[in-house]
């Protein structure tokens, strides 16, 4: 018999085996769908889109779906890589999401035709885009390619993004739809018709009690809360409640208001313990009434001072850069850091930073604020800050002066109350300055300038502030999320009117419209987890009651209050209507004291201002008292975390200030843990015994992001740490790779390159 070989099967089964089926059932299939907030809808989308990760190779690029909603541009990755590097996880936005209000330019490109177009609202696109480049206000640049996407879907999603990022009216911003939907969803949870605002400790200054507490805290006994602007009867841009001198009646204020720009009567900002007051006001409209009104106002302010000392008025429009200068400088430094290719040498790159004049303007505002500090603290004189509209430069300077003088504002809650008081309630035009409605070509970064000034002080006095640079950076990013009242309106009047109009539009019953409100940005639980919020905490903060350490010894001291009045040395300047004006306290250029250098040399004739700063710098810095920043050009540094966090070439693995922060947090957490264990120890005493094995604080109670390491942990820094932490530059438009990047010297701690002229000016 012949043996027959078994025939090979001619049919191949493509059905999965039973084992594979079980595995498939066990592993859930991922749907490419966006996470939507209440009221958020998808308006357009495109599949098979590639997000560019590197400009040289597409190996690391991500594939997925590009989606445009009425709130954001979202990219949903098809096969998301395993997360190896933890970063800040936003509760409202995904890793690849961009709020529409954060978009500055929407640029479409067609490589084959060599065409490029900046898209606006309701514009036509005459070519099929092969690329989409999004320029963001937070300095990100995101690039998408439509290699495999259909040309029609690519065109539609680009037009949708351009259209929805240019809202024609403020009510079209997503925040209104979001808060309206939340109003109806939470209706059943409201108690007695009121909406719980959940544990927010920052005063809003929208009620008299908040102002009363501030008056009491600063000891301003000769000032009172005034309600003449209730329902915005006097000024459309002021808050309903303001603080004015006791000696001025409501009738006087109503008469005066007509003479000021936009009826903005003078506003009290802060009181020194010596009785001097910081006041801000708009310009007077009628030159004929100028002297009469100014005399009445200054006399009233003078009466509020215990010694009735003279008053200094400073016109900030004449002494500081204007809005256009600030905008131009910011655009230049942004282009240098993010858009333009790096120069061939460190010197050229650093010179470009200097030539942008951004740091020069930051220095100018800090210097002006330090001069005002001298008058308030050294001369015991009240100061009036004057600006034409009292809504931009006054906000910056008044805030910086209070930050230097009052340690309360250097705590996180105090800083938030400062921004609420001097920016939000004082009527800073956040809607216009942030350019949410795209009515201008660019935003005006006045608030960004203020945050940079604050960072300069944190950089010089890190133990004096409760919050970190991460907090400032996240706060700046929050300006582009249209869900919070803090950065969405030009005034409290506009906020109230917009909410009332929207309540009528949504048929919210009369009497319940007060429950429909925009939450402030200060409730950080809306954006970040409890764990991520600990990145805001500064482990080096001295707080209240901390001792001063000098030369290894713990010392307690208080600075002696001196009066540096000009009457002590030389003749006093002329006083007109109780007002000192035109007096130059510190020379503007080339002066040692004007730059507030710590190493003062002896000079023949020492002015009161020079003695004041010499005395201050000659003593150990009291982190809980007055702070004066160092203001030589070499003391001004570029805020690396903000300006360079999205630049891949500038990202230093296991480098930057985060490495020191990581170690200090671990040490702080270990100390807190030991203190907690000591508190749980009952004894020693004859009748008591220690508690067995005291436990560490629970994770939600611990204040530091980085926990104390165990004995088995390695001493090295985590691999995910970099100079950009907690942000990541991955996914931003990269320049071509340059080995030995020309900013390496700067990133390693080099100061801003000084020009020959600057070096000459700094020479003693």
């Amino acid at each position: 018999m012949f043996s027959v070989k078994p025939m090979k099967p001619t049919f191949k089964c493509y059905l999965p085996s039973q084992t594979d089926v079980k595995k498939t059932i066990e592993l859930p299939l991922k749907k490419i769908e966006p996470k939507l907030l209440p009221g958020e809808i998808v308006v357009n989308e495109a599949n098979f889109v590639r997000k560019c990760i590197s400009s040289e190779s597409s190996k690391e690029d991500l594939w997925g779906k590009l989606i445009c909603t009425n709130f954001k541009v979202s990219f949903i990755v098809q096969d998301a890589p395993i997360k190896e590097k933890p970063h800040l996880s936003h509760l409202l936005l995904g890793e690849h999401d961009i709020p529409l209000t954060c978009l500055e330019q929407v640029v479409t490109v067609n490589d084959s035709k060599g065409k490029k177009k900046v898209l606006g609202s309701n514009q036509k696109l005459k070519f099929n885009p092969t690329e989409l480049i999004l320029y963001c206000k937070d300095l990100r640049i995101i690039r998408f390619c439509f290699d495999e996407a259909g040309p029609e879907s690519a065109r539609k999603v680009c037009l949708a993004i351009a259209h929805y990022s240019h809202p024609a009216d403020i009510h079209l911003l997503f925040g209104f739809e979001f808060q309206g939907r939340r109003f109806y969803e939470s209706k059943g949870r409201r108690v007695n018709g009121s909406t719980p605002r959940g544990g927010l400790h920052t005063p809003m200054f929208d009620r008299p009690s908040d102002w009363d507490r501030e008056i009491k805290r600063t000891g301003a006994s000769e000032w009172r809360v005034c309600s003449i602007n209730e329902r915005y009867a006097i000024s459309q841009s002021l808050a309903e409640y303001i603080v004015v001198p006791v000696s001025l009646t409501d009738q006087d204020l109503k008469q005066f208001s007509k003479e000021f720009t936009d009826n903005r009567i003078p506003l009290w900002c802060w009181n020194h313990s010596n009785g001097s007051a910081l006041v801000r006001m708009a310009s007077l409209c009628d030159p004929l009434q100028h002297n009469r009104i100014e005399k009445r106002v200054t006399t009233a302010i003078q009466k509020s001072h215990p010694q009735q000392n003279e008053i200094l008025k400073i016109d900030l429009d004449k002494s500081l850069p204007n809005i256009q200068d600030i905008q131009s400088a910011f655009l230049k430094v942004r282009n240098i850091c993010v858009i333009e290719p790096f120069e061939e040498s460190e010197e050229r790159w650093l010179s470009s930073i200097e030539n942008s004049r951004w740091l020069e303007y930051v220095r100018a505002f800090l210097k002006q604020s330090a001069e005002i500090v001298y008058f308030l603290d050294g001369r015991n004189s009240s100061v009036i800050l004057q600006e034409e509209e009292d809504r931009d430069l006054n906000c910056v300077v008044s805030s910086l002066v209070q930050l230097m003088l009052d340690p309360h504002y250097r705590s996180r809650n105090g800083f938030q109350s400062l921004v609420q008081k001097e920016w939000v309630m004082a009527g800073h035009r956040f809607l216009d300055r942030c350019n949410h409605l795209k009515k201008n070509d660019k935003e005006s970064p006045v608030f960004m300038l203020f945050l940079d000034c604050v960072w300069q002080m944190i950089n010089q006095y890190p133990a004096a502030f409760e919050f970190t640079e991460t907090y400032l950076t996240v706060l700046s990013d929050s300006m582009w999320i249209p869900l919070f009242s803090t950065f969405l309106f030009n005034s409290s009047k506009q906020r109230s009117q917009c909410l009332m109009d929207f309540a009528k539009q949504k048929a919210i019953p009369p009497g319940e419209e007060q429950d429909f409100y925009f939450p402030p940005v200060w409730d950080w639980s809306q954006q970040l987890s409890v764990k991520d919020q600990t990145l805001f905490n500064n482990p080096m903060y001295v707080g209240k009651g901390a001792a001063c350490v000098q030369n290894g010894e713990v010392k307690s001291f208080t600075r002696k209050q001196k009066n540096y009045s000009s009457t002590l040395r030389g003749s006093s300047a002329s006083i007109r209507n109780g007002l000192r004006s035109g007096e130059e306290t510190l020379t503007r250029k080339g002066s040692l004291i004007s730059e507030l250098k710590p190493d003062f040399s002896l000079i023949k004739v020492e002015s009161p201002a020079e003695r004041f700063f010499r005395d201050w710098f000659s003593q150990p810095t009291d982190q809980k008292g007055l702070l004066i920043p160092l203001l030589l050009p070499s003391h001004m540094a570029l805020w690396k975390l903000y300006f360079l966090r999205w630049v891949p070439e500038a990202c230093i693995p296991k480098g930057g200030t985060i490495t020191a922060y990581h170690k200090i947090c671990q040490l702080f957490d270990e100390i807190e843990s030991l203190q907690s264990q000591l508190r749980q120890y009952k004894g020693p005493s004859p009748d008591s015994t220690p508690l067995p094995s005291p436990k560490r604080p629970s994770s939600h109670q611990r204040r530091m992001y980085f926990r104390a390491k165990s004995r088995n942990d390695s001493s090295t820094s985590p691999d995910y740490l970099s100079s950009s932490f907690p942000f990541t530059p991955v996914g931003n438009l990269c320049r071509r790779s340059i080995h030995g990047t020309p900013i390496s010297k700067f990133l390693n701690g080099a100061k801003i390159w000084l020009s020959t002229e600057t070096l000459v000016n700094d020479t003693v």
Side-chain angles (χ1 to χ4, degrees):
M1 294 180 64
F2 296 99
S3 61
V4 181
K5 295 181 178 180
M7 296 181 62
K8 294 181 178 180
T10 58
F11 175 78
K12 183 178 180 180
C13 180
Y14 288 91
L15 294 175
S17 64
Q18 287 293 104
T19 306
D20 293 335
V21 170
K22 289 181 180 178
K23 289 182 179 179
T24 304
I25 294 174
E26 291 173 359
L27 296 174
L29 294 174
K30 180 184 176 182
K31 295 182 179 179
I32 308 181
E33 297 296 337
K35 293 181 179 179
L36 302 178
L37 298 176
E40 186 178 8
I41 58 172
V42 175
V43 295
N44 217 300
E45 60 185 38
N47 289 300
F48 309 111
V49 178
R50 177 164 57 93
K51 182 179 181 179
C52 300
I53 302 299
S54 171
S55 60
E56 294 185 340
S57 172
S58 60
K59 292 181 180 179
E60 297 180 356
D61 291 353
L62 302 175
W63 289 87
K65 179 188 289 188
L66 182 63
I67 299 171
C68 175
T69 75
N70 55 341
F71 168 49
K72 63 180 182 280
V73 176
S74 185
F75 182 74
I76 312 299
V77 181
Q78 174 66 49
D79 296 313
I82 300 174
K83 291 185 178 180
E84 297 179 355
K85 300 180 180 181
H87 60 278
L88 210 61
S89 298
H90 209 283
L91 301 180
L92 300 173
L93 296 166
E95 181 181 357
H96 303 282
D97 292 350
I98 310 166
L100 292 170
T101 44
C102 188
L103 296 180
E104 186 173 61
Q105 276 191 346
V106 179
V107 180
T108 52
V109 180
N110 186 297
D111 287 335
S112 60
K113 297 183 179 180
K115 293 184 177 181
K116 181 185 291 187
K117 184 174 183 178
V118 179
L119 290 178
S121 180
N122 297 320
Q123 286 189 343
K124 294 182 179 180
L125 190 58
K126 297 182 179 179
F127 60 85
N128 293 324
T130 58
E131 289 184 14
L132 172 67
I133 304 176
L134 302 178
Y135 293 87
C136 306
K137 295 176 183 177
D138 63 1
L139 309 190
R140 282 183 292 175
I141 304 174
I142 312 296
R143 178 169 163 241
F144 299 100
C145 292
F146 303 110
D147 310 83
E148 304 297 332
E152 190 62 25
S153 61
R155 180 204 296 259
K156 286 182 177 180
V157 76
C158 290
L159 291 173
I161 292 171
H163 176 73
Y164 280 88
S165 63
H166 289 74
D169 184 77
I170 188 173
H171 291 113
L172 296 178
L173 292 173
F174 174 68
F176 286 90
E177 190 66 34
F178 175 68
Q179 300 301 344
R181 185 65 62 89
R182 290 185 69 183
F183 169 83
Y184 282 109
E185 290 179 354
S186 64
K187 193 170 183 179
R189 298 193 299 269
R190 290 197 294 274
V191 181
N192 296 327
S194 63
T195 304
R197 304 199 177 187
L200 187 64
H201 301 295
T202 301
M204 295 291 101
F205 293 100
D206 57 353
R207 59 193 68 183
S209 58
D210 290 342
W211 289 106
D212 282 329
R213 279 190 290 270
E214 188 69 4
I215 290 173
K216 184 178 180 180
R217 188 188 70 83
T218 58
S221 58
E222 296 299 315
W223 297 80
R224 67 181 178 90
V225 181
C226 175
S227 58
I228 61 169
N229 200 42
E230 277 188 335
R231 299 190 179 183
Y232 311 99
I234 301 296
S235 175
Q236 303 290 304
S237 61
L238 285 179
E240 288 189 278
Y241 306 100
I242 56 178
V243 177
V244 298
V246 169
S247 58
L248 286 179
T249 66
D250 287 359
Q251 189 61 35
D252 292 335
L253 294 169
K254 289 178 182 179
Q255 293 177 353
F256 295 162
S257 65
K258 301 174 184 177
E259 306 299 332
F260 288 93
T261 303
D262 196 23
N263 297 341
R264 290 180 65 92
I265 55 181
L267 307 176
W268 173 86
C269 300
W270 182 79
N271 240 63
H272 196 287
S273 58
N274 61 27
S276 58
L278 180 65
V279 182
R280 54 188 287 180
M281 75 175 191
S283 298
L284 289 161
C285 302
D286 188 358
L288 299 177
Q289 301 292 330
H290 186 280
N291 291 339
R292 182 180 67 85
I293 300 298
E294 193 172 79
K295 183 177 181 180
R296 290 290 305 275
V297 171
T298 54
T299 300
I301 296 173
Q302 198 169 17
K303 286 182 180 179
S304 70
H305 196 291
Q307 288 81 40
Q308 297 192 10
N309 288 356
E310 70 271 14
I311 298 170
L312 178 80
K313 186 185 77 173
I314 299 177
D315 190 343
L316 298 184
D317 287 322
K318 295 179 180 179
S319 60
L320 289 173
N322 58 36
I323 303 299
Q324 291 72 29
D325 292 335
I326 295 170
Q327 184 183 60
S328 175
F330 182 78
L331 291 176
K332 288 177 182 177
V333 75
R334 184 189 69 175
N335 290 344
I336 293 166
C337 292
V338 181
I339 299 176
E340 296 176 0
F342 291 135
E343 297 289 348
E344 297 176 357
S345 66
E346 290 90 344
E347 289 78 9
R348 290 182 61 184
W349 192 85
L350 295 171
S351 296
S352 299
I353 294 292
E354 183 190 15
N355 293 335
S356 71
R357 306 191 73 180
W358 175 256
L359 291 178
E360 177 186 333
Y361 293 159
V362 169
R363 176 170 163 259
F365 276 87
L366 286 169
K367 180 170 177 282
Q368 179 71 80
S369 303
E371 294 180 10
I372 295 167
V373 165
Y374 158 67
F375 279 100
L376 290 165
D377 188 79
R379 286 268 293 275
N380 297 356
S381 299
S382 296
V383 176
I384 300 175
L385 304 178
Q386 181 172 313
E387 183 192 4
E388 183 178 358
E389 294 185 339
D390 182 34
R391 302 177 73 177
D392 289 299
L393 306 185
N394 273 359
C395 298
V396 181
V397 174
S398 65
S399 301
L400 290 176
V401 169
Q402 293 172 70
L403 204 65
M404 294 177 189
L405 284 165
D406 194 339
H408 167 69
Y409 295 124
R410 301 197 284 270
S411 67
R412 195 172 102 185
N413 191 58
F415 181 78
Q416 294 175 170
S417 70
L418 179 67
V419 174
Q420 190 70 27
K421 175 168 67 84
E422 296 298 328
W423 292 80
V424 180
M425 301 312 292
H428 179 66
R429 295 186 181 90
F430 278 110
L431 179 68
D432 294 342
R433 297 297 181 235
C434 294
N435 203 22
H436 289 320
L437 301 183
K438 304 294 192 301
K439 291 186 176 180
N440 303 303
D441 293 335
K442 304 290 182 182
E443 66 274 8
S444 300
V446 182
F447 188 68
M448 189 62 233
L449 177 88
F450 166 67
L451 294 183
D452 202 328
C453 290
V454 176
W455 179 84
Q456 300 291 338
M457 294 187 64
I458 291 179
N459 191 43
Q460 294 183 19
Y461 303 105
F465 293 82
E466 187 182 18
F467 48 90
T468 62
E469 64 172 333
T470 299
Y471 168 81
L472 295 179
T473 309
V474 173
L475 180 59
S476 71
D477 290 343
S478 300
M479 287 193 291
W480 319 123
I481 303 177
L483 304 180
F484 313 113
S485 61
T486 311
F487 303 123
L488 202 58
F489 304 100
N490 287 332
S491 64
S492 54
K493 158 71 174 177
Q494 186 187 42
R495 181 194 63 209
S496 300
Q497 188 63 50
C498 286
L499 293 181
M500 286 179 60
D501 294 344
F502 191 76
K504 292 179 181 178
Q505 180 184 339
K506 291 296 181 181
I508 294 178
E512 294 187 19
E513 65 274 1
Q514 294 181 353
D515 298 329
F516 174 67
Y517 80 107
F518 274 79
V521 74
W522 314 126
D523 184 4
W524 293 104
S525 62
Q526 299 175 98
Q527 298 188 62
L528 302 172
S529 66
V530 174
K531 165 79 170 175
D532 283 345
Q533 288 180 59
T534 57
L535 283 168
F536 295 169
N537 298 333
N538 178 14
M540 295 183 289
Y541 178 56
V542 294
K544 294 182 179 180
C548 172
V549 179
Q550 183 184 10
N551 297 327
E553 296 181 6
V554 178
K555 296 186 177 182
S556 251
F557 73 94
T558 55
R559 292 179 181 270
K560 294 180 180 179
Q561 188 67 33
K562 299 180 181 179
N563 191 305
Y564 296 86
S565 172
S566 59
T567 56
L568 298 177
R569 294 282 182 97
S571 58
S572 61
S574 59
I575 303 177
R576 182 180 302 171
N577 297 332
L579 186 74
R580 288 185 183 274
S581 60
E583 184 180 9
E584 186 70 27
T585 60
L586 306 176
T587 53
R588 291 287 172 186
K589 190 175 181 181
S591 168
L592 188 64
I593 305 298
S594 68
E595 314 301 348
L596 308 186
K597 284 183 64 175
D599 51 339
F600 295 115
S601 303
L602 294 176
I603 52 180
K604 294 181 180 179
V605 180
E606 191 177 39
S607 69
E610 289 168 333
R611 284 193 300 109
F612 172 79
F613 291 114
R614 176 175 58 80
D615 287 350
W616 192 88
F617 282 110
S618 65
Q619 300 181 52
T621 302
D622 181 6
Q623 305 283 354
K624 308 184 297 295
L626 169 65
L627 288 185
I628 300 176
L630 304 173
L631 293 177
L632 281 172
S634 57
H635 292 136
M636 296 292 101
L638 185 71
W639 186 3
K640 302 171 194 174
L641 183 63
Y642 178 79
F643 286 103
L644 298 175
R645 57 182 163 151
W646 308 122
V647 182
E649 297 92 331
C651 183
I652 308 174
K654 294 189 178 182
T657 57
I658 189 62
T659 54
Y661 180 79
H662 167 249
K663 297 297 183 185
I664 297 172
C665 280
Q666 287 184 322
L667 180 60
F668 184 92
D669 187 62
E670 187 170 0
I671 292 172
E672 275 204 330
S673 178
L674 291 172
Q675 289 176 336
S676 176
Q677 294 180 43
L678 286 173
R679 283 192 296 268
Q680 295 180 51
Y681 182 85
K682 295 182 179 179
S685 67
D687 301 326
S688 64
T689 56
L691 290 176
S693 61
K695 298 180 180 179
R696 287 174 173 264
S698 60
S699 59
H700 69 276
Q701 293 176 332
R702 299 167 82 170
R703 296 168 54 196
M704 293 297 116
Y705 184 84
F706 298 105
R707 312 304 193 202
K709 60 184 180 181
S710 64
R711 296 177 181 178
N712 298 326
D713 291 341
S714 61
S715 59
T716 59
S717 300
D719 292 336
Y720 58 78
L721 286 187
S722 74
S723 56
S724 297
F725 185 87
F727 309 96
T728 172
V730 175
N732 284 278
L733 187 62
C734 307
R735 305 177 183 88
R736 58 185 177 83
S737 297
I738 303 175
H739 297 289
T741 169
I743 62 169
S744 59
K745 184 176 179 181
F746 168 73
L747 293 171
N748 287 328
K751 298 296 184 181
I752 294 300
W753 183 256
L754 303 180
S755 64
T756 305
E757 180 184 359
T758 306
L759 291 171
V760 170
N761 293 337
D762 292 345
T763 304
V764 179

